[in-house]
């Protein structure tokens, strides 16, 4: 499944923004399961690539929530000892999500 993580993340986030509450919850649950069962680095990359491209504030909030769970799973030490480019991208993405004007995305 690791190879399809980016595509699956993009589709699930899109479903969260274009669907009824039941489908939104199912897509969020599916994203949680995916995050728990793929390589954390791939899950983080896929969420960072898709999260900031979304127009829907709810989708950005849920993407940020799942990104937080991946960051917690990876751990501070491992994140800080990784490549500087990856850390810069993570910080840039988190700052962009934190500066979101919509209250629900914080």
């Amino acid at each position: 499944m690791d190879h399809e993580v980016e595509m699956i993340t993009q589709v699930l986030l899109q479903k969260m923004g274009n669907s009824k509450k039941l489908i939104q919850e199912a897509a969020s649950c599916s994203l949680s399961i995916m995050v728990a069962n793929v390589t954390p680095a791939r899950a983080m990359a896929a969420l960072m690539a898709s999260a900031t491209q979304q127009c829907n504030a709810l989708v950005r909030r849920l993407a940020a929530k799942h990104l937080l769970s991946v960051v917690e799973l990876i751990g501070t030490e491992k994140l800080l000892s990784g490549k500087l480019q990856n850390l810069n991208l993570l910080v840039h993405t988190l700052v962009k999500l934190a500066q979101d004007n919509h209250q629900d995305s914080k």
Side-chain angles (χ1 to χ4, degrees):
M1 181 179 190
D2 271 8
H3 302 296
E4 292 86 19
V5 170
E6 285 191 33
M7 182 184 65
I8 292 169
T9 302
Q10 193 172 29
V11 169
L12 288 174
L13 289 175
Q14 195 172 39
K15 285 292 179 191
M16 283 186 221
N18 298 335
S19 304
K20 302 285 184 198
K21 187 170 178 138
L22 178 67
I23 295 175
Q24 288 175 350
E25 290 172 0
S28 182
C29 182
S30 298
L31 197 55
S32 294
I33 292 168
M34 183 200 73
V35 164
N37 289 292
V38 299
T39 308
R42 286 197 192 244
M44 185 172 76
L47 285 165
M48 287 190 304
S50 298
T52 55
Q53 296 175 356
Q54 299 297 320
C55 296
N56 188 319
L58 172 68
V59 174
R60 288 191 306 272
R61 181 181 66 82
L62 291 171
K65 176 185 141 194
H66 291 295
L67 184 58
L68 175 62
S69 67
V70 172
V71 168
E72 289 174 344
L73 183 66
I74 292 173
T76 310
E77 272 188 48
K78 195 168 182 180
L79 278 173
L80 294 176
S81 66
K83 293 181 181 177
L84 185 59
Q85 181 182 5
N86 293 343
L87 185 59
N88 285 340
L89 182 60
L90 175 63
V91 170
H92 177 73
T93 303
L94 293 175
V95 166
K96 192 169 183 178
L97 290 171
Q99 290 176 339
D100 195 341
N101 289 333
H102 198 281
Q103 190 63 30
D104 284 344
S105 63
K106 295 182 180 179

